[in-house]
């Protein structure tokens, strides 16, 4: 029966949300994940809102596992993942730093993959599909939120990962003339390079993106100038970011 796996997934997600035993919650969520990935994404997408509900789970391990699942869906079923992106933004501000850090890590991976997919679509078809532009708008919100974490008081461990995202952002949008100007072929993966970008799309404008990367580099420089007020681990991270960005 076509509805049986979906019904089973729905029952497992309900258990992950409501059961009193943490082991049962984690097991139910893992089983639900397996079923969701066995379904066609277009059939599974209406179950995604039940995943979003798990962001309010009182158990740290459930929220961390949810982020793993959001990351996997973001990579394997990107076209249908926009509904899950609010989870990243919500859990960036989680009271548990382990969850907040995982949100930065997962969101950073999705950010890079969405950027690459947008670039490849534009090269192949001269346009970017609407669902992907919507997904990128979530990535822009994620970027702004992580930048804010990097610049405001808070957990040193979380700020460290936020600073690493700033470094990633600078590296993504800084020209490397040693790289090819052509994007990778479909189905292969290689580090994104801004030389892939061409004019003609409002989001994928290389000059505005490089300008924003330069502004981000200045943010890192300003942080370095105020290093006396930073924990030593953050100072080291900022220095490393500056060094990587200048390579």
């Amino acid at each position: 029966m076509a509805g049986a796996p979906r019904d089973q997934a729905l029952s497992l997600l309900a258990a992950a949300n409501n059961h009193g035993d943490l082991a049962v919650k984690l097991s139910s969520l893992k089983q639900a994940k397996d079923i969701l990935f066995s379904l066609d994404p277009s059939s599974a997408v209406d179950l995604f809102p039940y995943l979003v509900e798990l962001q309010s789970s009182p158990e740290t391990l459930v929220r961390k596992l949810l982020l793993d699942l959001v990351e996997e869906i973001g990579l394997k079923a990107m076209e249908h993942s926009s509904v899950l992106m609010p989870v990243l933004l919500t859990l960036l501000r989680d009271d548990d730093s382990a969850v907040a850090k995982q949100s930065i890590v997962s969101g950073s991976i999705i950010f890079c993959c969405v950027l690459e997919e947008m670039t490849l679509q534009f090269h192949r078809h001269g346009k970017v599909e609407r669902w992907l532009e919507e997904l990128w708008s979530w990535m822009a919100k994620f970027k702004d939120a992580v930048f804010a974490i990097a610049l405001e008081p808070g957990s040193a461990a979380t700020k460290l990962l936020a600073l690493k995202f700033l470094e990633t952002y600078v590296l993504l949008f800084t020209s490397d003339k040693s790289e090819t100007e052509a994007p990778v072929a479909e189905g292969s993966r290689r580090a994104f390079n801004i030389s892939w970008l061409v004019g003609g799309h409002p989001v994928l404008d290389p000059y505005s993106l490089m300008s924003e990367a330069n502004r981000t580099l200045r943010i890192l420089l300003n942080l370095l100038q105020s290093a006396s007020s930073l924990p030593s681990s953050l100072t080291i991270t900022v220095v490393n970011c500056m060094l990587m960005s200048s390579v």
Side-chain angles (χ1 to χ4, degrees):
M1 294 175 59
R6 294 178 72 261
D7 292 343
Q8 186 179 3
L10 188 58
S11 176
L12 288 165
L13 289 173
N17 262 303
N18 302 315
H19 203 282
D21 188 287
L22 176 58
V24 172
K25 286 189 171 190
L26 295 174
S27 175
S28 297
L29 184 53
K30 290 175 182 176
Q31 291 178 67
K33 180 192 78 168
D34 292 339
I35 295 173
L36 288 173
F37 280 111
S38 73
L39 296 171
D40 183 271
S42 60
S43 300
V45 67
D46 63 343
L47 296 175
F48 290 174
Y50 296 98
L51 287 172
V52 176
E53 292 180 8
L54 288 166
Q55 68 185 5
S56 301
S57 174
E59 289 88 2
T60 296
L61 290 177
V62 172
R63 301 195 303 278
K64 284 193 67 179
L65 183 56
L66 171 62
L67 286 166
D68 289 337
L69 185 49
V70 168
E71 179 184 328
E72 287 191 57
I73 292 173
L75 301 182
K76 296 179 181 178
M78 189 179 290
E79 185 174 355
H80 303 281
S81 63
S82 284
V83 68
L84 296 173
M85 293 304 105
V87 173
L88 291 176
L89 297 181
T90 297
L91 295 185
L92 278 175
R93 298 294 183 176
D94 198 273
D95 291 336
D96 192 304
S97 64
V99 176
K101 290 190 295 181
Q102 183 61 50
S103 187
I104 294 175
V105 170
S106 295
S108 298
I109 291 170
I110 296 172
F111 183 97
C112 294
C113 289
V114 172
L115 174 63
E116 180 179 322
E117 182 61 28
M118 286 182 66
T119 305
L120 294 176
Q121 271 199 14
F122 193 67
H123 268 272
R124 294 184 199 124
H125 310 297
K127 64 179 182 179
V128 175
E129 294 181 62
R130 187 184 182 96
W131 65 264
L132 192 51
E133 290 185 335
E134 179 185 357
L135 194 52
W136 181 252
S137 71
W138 281 111
M139 292 297 96
K141 293 175 183 177
F142 170 82
K143 182 264 292 183
D144 290 343
V146 176
F147 273 43
I149 290 171
L151 298 175
E152 66 190 25
S155 162
T158 305
K159 284 172 67 66
L160 188 149
L161 282 177
L163 288 168
K164 293 296 292 181
F165 178 76
L166 266 67
E167 176 192 339
T168 297
Y169 191 85
V170 171
L171 293 174
L172 283 171
F173 300 124
T174 299
S175 179
D176 182 353
K177 299 188 185 306
S178 67
E179 292 286 345
T180 177
E181 293 185 0
V184 295
E186 186 172 3
S188 63
R189 291 287 177 190
R190 185 169 59 78
F192 172 87
N193 187 275
I194 196 168
S195 63
W196 299 357
L197 298 183
V198 294
H201 189 278
V203 172
L204 298 174
D205 177 60
Y207 300 104
S208 62
L209 290 170
M210 284 190 288
S211 176
E212 190 163 357
N214 286 334
R215 286 196 296 272
T216 304
L217 198 55
R218 287 195 293 272
I219 290 173
L220 291 171
L221 181 58
N222 290 337
L223 284 172
L224 189 58
Q225 291 172 340
S226 63
S228 60
S229 65
L230 294 175
S232 58
S233 60
L234 295 183
T235 301
I236 292 170
T237 299
V238 172
V239 171
N240 289 337
C241 289
M242 296 291 294
L243 291 173
M244 286 294 296
S245 302
S246 62
V247 172

